[in-house]
Amino acid sequence: QAQLVESGGRLVQTGGSLRLSCAASSRTFNTYTLAWFRQASGEEREFVAAISWSGGSIHYADSVKGRFTISRDNAKNIMYLQMDSLKPEDTADYYCAADTVTRGLAVVPSYYALWGQGTRVTVSS
């Protein structure tokens, strides 16, 4: 069964940087829109960023625009999220997801059929 596996989450200080990775188990993922979502404790899962299958279209949540950069390397079946200028409010479990149906950049979790297990990012103040 196709899988997504996130890595790279850890404790970091305010203003620091992290790079999250999402490794896909199948080259089929190269045809999907991929996205990052996050979920803070007690909160709903929220959209962070999405990237089209080619990498030619990208969309960010306003809360991370200018600080986070999404990218993908289809040759390696990996998606990245470079996070700079981190803030305590970025603390959350971060999930990667694949939209196996549409070719858009959906911001709603229900459009994404496949999810990783999550990686925790904690930003200390």
Side-chain angles (χ1 to χ4, degrees):
Q1 187 174 354
Q3 289 185 321
L4 298 171
V5 180
E6 304 94 334
S7 62
R10 61 175 176 86
L11 174 66
V12 65
Q13 290 186 334
T14 296
S17 297
L18 277 179
R19 188 177 78 161
L20 305 183
S21 298
C22 173
S25 62
S26 168
R27 296 191 66 81
T28 303
F29 285 94
N30 295 343
T31 65
Y32 299 152
T33 288
L34 299 177
W36 289 98
F37 286 79
R38 65 187 182 185
Q39 187 168 17
S41 179
E43 302 291 330
E44 293 186 352
R45 192 165 296 190
E46 67 170 352
F47 171 79
V48 175
I51 186 168
S52 64
W53 69 273
S54 67
S57 295
I58 288 173
H59 179 58
Y60 295 100
D62 287 344
S63 59
V64 306
K65 198 172 295 183
R67 299 188 299 120
F68 290 9
T69 303
I70 190 173
S71 62
R72 65 191 296 168
D73 184 340
N74 285 344
K76 297 181 179 179
N77 294 349
I78 296 180
M79 175 178 65
Y80 302 101
L81 185 68
Q82 177 67 40
M83 304 188 295
D84 299 317
S85 302
L86 283 162
K87 305 174 181 180
E89 51 263 45
D90 294 318
T91 294
D93 292 325
Y94 283 72
Y95 299 87
C96 63
D99 179 353
T100 61
V101 177
T102 76
R103 286 298 184 98
L105 299 179
V107 301
V108 179
S110 60
Y111 277 78
Y112 294 84
L114 296 174
W115 292 83
Q117 84 290 347
T119 186
R120 179 155 295 177
V121 173
T122 303
V123 184
S124 63
S125 57

